[in-house]
Amino acid sequence: MFGCRRSVLLRRLWSSRCTGVEDGDVASLKLAARSIFQRLRLEQLERLCESLNSGGAGDSACVLVPRTEIRSGPTAPGGWAQLTPQLLLCRLFRWPDLRYQHEIKRLHCCPDFAKRDGDRGLVCVNPYHFSRLAEPETPPPPPYTKCSRSCSQWTGLMDWSGPGDAWSKDPSNEQCSNCYETSNSSMEGYWCRLAYWEHRTRVGCQLAVQEEAVSVFWDLPRGSGLCLSPLKPLGRGERSGESSSRRVRKRIGPGVVLSREGGGVWLYNRSQVPVFVGSPTLLPPDSSRSACKLLPGYSLKVFDYRRIPSRQAYVREKGPWDPHCIRVSFAKGWGPTYSRRLITSCPCWLEILLNK
């Protein structure tokens, strides 16, 4: 019975592989994958199938194998020979064009994250415990000539009483009935605060984050963090902007994971749509762009505490400016090369206020 169950799981795993692998690589890839699957117990195969079926939505357990290299065929430039188990499974199930180990990053949510260099000689090969590293300097889209109607309405929209203290002047936001922050005691010991916005309206109150990693999502089968679905816009009727927000909200899904690691802040996009990130340390101060595009499945170091620019050097930003603020827009970009010149024109976006 167990042999039959194992055969079913192996067939299911192989059928779950990504498309896009060249025909010449399939045979050697299958041999390499089989060499890894043979090392997994039945419960580990079930765990791997469960993670693949969920598409990385929610928490999943580690799948541990001995730390080694897998020979998958004759050595060739960019070929399948001599791959680590985690690189092989990431390439098999997520990114067929993946080539090198340094192109992937272990996620903070992986239980094996803190002990990956332990004495056990084991490594996690769950492909959804890894992300692909993104490069911040990617070519921008061609310039967009049509300016958003709200471009000239930025002045006076927000006011900072100090670095990291951003509040909307909309009276409907001064008293929040949809607060996900319930007491001042939750503000103690936090490293950042999160605020969710739809266009110019902040929805709900700020959330103080004390854990090293936090998920921001609309729909997540399992896991914890900031759930946006219960939040409702305050003091607003049916408007064209609200309908665009509603369309984007449905696409957020598992959302993003924000984590504090070492000397910076990382963002992992586990949704099915790109997110756009603006940060004082992400782009050069004189860059013409306002945000970087982060594709699904990719991670990016969105803030570096060692590279905080001065206000004089940061000439790109017009109006209020906070050197400890990160902004993330779901699905829609903003800046000079987009139709939305300001992030306040984006339907759904997140403000991350770092604690100095």
Side-chain angles (χ1 to χ4, degrees), residues 76-316:
W80 289 91
Q82 297 296 341
L83 299 179
T84 61
Q86 59 270 38
L87 182 61
L88 176 61
L89 292 195
C90 283
R91 189 173 181 182
L92 178 64
F93 295 115
R94 299 197 67 185
W95 306 289
D97 60 337
L98 190 64
R99 297 300 179 191
Y100 304 106
Q101 183 73 26
H102 65 261
E103 296 180 55
I104 58 176
K105 175 185 179 296
R106 189 184 303 274
L107 294 173
H108 195 279
C109 63
C110 177
D112 195 45
F113 180 85
K115 50 182 180 292
R116 60 186 182 276
D117 295 324
D119 298 330
R120 296 179 301 167
L122 300 175
V123 62
C124 175
V125 295
N126 187 334
Y128 283 99
H129 283 188
F130 292 85
S131 65
R132 194 162 183 178
L133 287 173
E135 293 292 337
E137 288 296 341
T138 55
Y144 195 96
T145 57
K146 180 181 177 181
C147 181
S148 173
R149 288 186 302 173
S150 59
C151 288
S152 62
Q153 299 173 351
W154 169 258
T155 305
L157 174 64
M158 296 181 186
D159 179 32
W160 273 259
S161 57
D165 291 329
W167 297 90
S168 171
K169 288 187 175 181
D170 190 336
S172 64
N173 290 323
E174 293 180 359
Q175 295 180 350
C176 299
S177 59
N178 292 317
C179 287
Y180 36 81
E181 171 196 344
T182 58
S183 66
N184 291 333
S185 61
S186 63
M187 299 291 287
E188 298 176 1
Y190 69 93
W191 63 272
C192 78
R193 288 173 289 158
L194 303 179
Y196 172 63
W197 294 75
E198 292 184 357
H199 295 281
R200 297 161 154 252
T201 303
R202 195 184 70 201
V203 184
C205 294
Q206 294 181 356
L207 170 68
V209 178
Q210 298 175 327
E211 301 293 332
E212 291 298 311
V214 60
S215 299
V216 181
F217 56 93
W218 190 264
D219 181 23
L220 196 62
R222 294 191 304 274
S224 59
L226 172 57
C227 182
L228 303 178
S229 57
L231 304 179
K232 306 296 182 184
L234 300 176
R236 295 174 61 188
E238 184 68 23
R239 303 175 185 173
S240 58
E242 185 175 349
S243 62
S244 64
S245 297
R246 184 166 55 250
R247 289 193 298 268
V248 172
R249 285 199 300 263
K250 295 178 180 179
R251 303 170 63 190
I252 293 176
V256 298
V257 179
L258 188 72
S259 60
R260 182 177 61 169
E261 303 174 28
V265 178
W266 286 80
L267 186 73
Y268 168 51
N269 181 11
R270 63 177 173 187
S271 70
Q272 298 301 314
V273 296
V275 297
F276 296 81
V277 188
S279 165
T281 69
L282 192 54
L283 293 170
D286 57 350
S287 174
S288 61
R289 289 188 291 153
S290 299
C292 288
K293 183 178 182 179
L294 186 62
L295 296 175
Y298 279 70
S299 281
L300 182 64
K301 189 176 185 179
V302 296
F303 193 87
D304 190 337
Y305 289 98
R306 299 166 298 181
R307 297 178 55 194
I308 303 176
S310 65
R311 181 65 181 96
Q312 291 74 20
Y314 205 73
V315 298
R316 179 174 68 250

